[in-house]
Amino acid sequence: MPDNIYKPAAHTRLRRIIVLDTETTGLLPYDRIVTLGAMRIEGDELQRQSLYLVFDPRKDSHPGALAVHGYDDWMTRFQDLFADLAPKIHRWLSWADELVMHNAEFDMRYVQRELRKADVEQLAQPTFCTMERARNVWRGESAKLDHCLKRIGLSRRERLHGALEDAYLTAGLYLHQIGSSGRLPPVNDWPNPKNLRAVPPRPAGVLPRRTPKRRSV
């Protein structure tokens, strides 16, 4: 009997990509994540599913970082700890075959550190860095995200850097870099983080010291 008869059909699926971005309290190794935004790509099509979360980083943001992301040190005190949501975040990101970031080394360092501090397994997928690809393609030119976006006809809507908007824009840059004809769906407005909690009125004067907070799980 020919060996090509009755063979089971080969099942294939589209490649799964998650594009993510973080905003942090600063750039130093001991800084923490303030917000995380992530979007899914299947094949070369951006999906509707997204993840957008804000956290209590347990420390104030450096003034330069605060000017970039705009998440007030008083407001962040009343948000979830990353550790409380770490299992959910890990499950959501584990859907991907590959993780894409603009400056992957930076973002992965903070994400993996937060997972480790929460006693959650590290992410094991390979990463793709759109910034490194930009440096190879546009040699001698700036590889900053805004500058890369300008070259391909994209730009941010908001003055402040939102992690979800930056993930969306990085997805557009990634699709361009891999030669995809896929287009980004238009976005009229960017939502707040899904877990954003209401905050009591800010006290006058210098903020009091942060009180201890225990993880809830």
Side-chain angles (χ1 to χ4, degrees):
M1 180 181 294
D3 61 6
N4 63 340
I5 298 179
Y6 302 122
K7 279 188 176 182
H11 294 282
T12 60
R13 62 169 174 79
L14 297 174
R15 185 167 176 77
R16 295 173 173 179
I17 303 296
I18 284 180
V19 187
L20 68 91
D21 182 74
T22 63
E23 299 297 335
T24 64
T25 59
L27 304 177
L28 298 175
Y30 52 78
D31 277 302
R32 307 291 297 274
I33 294 177
V34 177
T35 58
L36 182 147
M39 307 192 83
R40 289 176 172 175
I41 295 174
E42 198 162 6
D44 62 355
E45 184 175 345
L46 192 66
Q47 304 297 301
R48 291 182 178 272
Q49 299 94 331
S50 65
L51 185 69
Y52 190 23
L53 301 170
V54 62
F55 311 103
D56 176 3
R58 303 308 298 148
K59 63 176 298 184
D60 292 349
S61 290
H62 184 277
L66 179 59
V68 170
H69 60 68
Y71 282 92
D72 179 79
D73 295 327
W74 174 250
M75 183 273 283
T76 60
R77 298 179 185 211
F78 300 91
Q79 308 308 317
D80 296 309
L81 296 174
F82 189 103
D84 290 336
L85 301 176
K88 172 186 175 180
I89 293 167
H90 187 277
R91 287 192 300 271
W92 205 91
L93 296 179
S94 293
W95 173 88
D97 300 313
E98 186 174 48
L99 301 172
V100 173
M101 291 145 280
H102 197 76
N103 197 349
E105 182 181 1
F106 176 89
D107 290 306
M108 285 300 290
R109 179 170 71 242
Y110 288 106
V111 171
Q112 298 284 48
R113 179 172 180 262
E114 295 286 2
L115 292 173
R116 184 171 63 251
K117 288 173 69 69
D119 296 320
V120 172
E121 184 180 1
Q122 300 280 275
L123 296 166
Q125 301 101 310
T127 61
F128 180 100
C129 182
T130 54
M131 185 176 74
E132 290 300 322
R133 176 61 65 87
R135 285 173 173 165
N136 291 332
V137 173
W138 294 305
R139 292 184 181 275
E141 298 187 61
S142 170
K144 290 183 177 180
L145 181 59
D146 285 352
H147 296 162
C148 293
L149 294 172
K150 186 175 181 180
R151 295 182 193 116
I152 63 172
L154 294 175
S155 62
R156 67 178 68 257
R157 295 174 60 92
E158 306 294 336
R159 178 183 64 83
L160 296 172
H161 286 223
L164 187 61
E165 183 182 22
D166 278 10
Y168 167 88
L169 293 170
T170 300
L173 178 59
Y174 167 76
L175 292 172
H176 175 85
Q177 289 177 338
I178 65 172
S180 169
S181 60
R183 293 181 176 273
L184 294 181
V187 176
N188 295 323
D189 193 23
W190 291 104
N192 290 322
K194 296 177 181 179
N195 64 327
L196 181 66
R197 295 183 178 183
V199 176
R202 181 185 174 108
V206 178
L207 294 178
R209 294 185 63 181
R210 290 177 182 265
T211 57
K213 180 187 283 188
R214 294 182 180 272
R215 59 185 296 186
S216 61
V217 292

